[in-house]
Amino acid sequence: MPRTHQVAIIGFSRFELETLVTYFRLTTSSQPGHTSYRLVRSMRSSELILVDTDLPKALNAVQAAGRASDCICIGRARGFGNALAYLPRPIDALRVKRVLDQLIDRHSDTHAQVHPDLIELPRHRPGRRLQ
């Protein structure tokens, strides 16, 4: 049975945040049995983090929490060198979901092929928060 994965969302404009939250809410309810995500504001219980790299305050918060290696960086700025993936603006919610799916699948199946939407995807280190 698929489980719901907690994904923290740090930064972003109100419009971007509402767009992402709405998209994930709609895709979760319309696709029972598929991997689902719950967007949260706290990094504490999250497995992955979507971070606005164009907002220094967001980058600083992620860095201070020691979670840079759990990030999908979104924006014009590059963000962290050890992030899981980088996506440019404008934000494409479908593309964000594909990247999340790929990261979860990759963690579950070490032989998964890299999705073309991923700009950069280093192998996930054992012992991290993905389960």
Side-chain angles (χ1 to χ4, degrees), residues 31-84:
Q31 297 178 3
H34 288 77
T35 302
S36 62
Y37 303 96
R38 181 168 172 249
L39 299 181
V40 297
R41 287 197 176 265
S42 172
M43 290 181 273
R44 184 167 286 155
S45 63
S46 67
E47 296 171 69
L48 297 169
I49 301 166
L50 301 175
V51 62
D52 181 349
T53 62
D54 298 328
L55 187 61
K57 186 176 178 179
L59 292 173
N60 292 339
V62 171
Q63 189 72 39
R67 300 288 307 273
S69 63
D70 296 324
C71 287
I72 297 168
C73 294
I74 301 174
R76 291 175 213 56
R78 196 70 172 144
F80 306 108
N82 59 339
L84 294 169

Side-chain angles (χ1 to χ4, degrees), residues 102-116:
Q102 182 68 32
L103 290 169
I104 296 298
D105 289 347
R106 177 135 179 167
H107 180 73
S108 300
D109 177 11
T110 57
H111 301 294
Q113 294 182 355
V114 176
H115 191 283

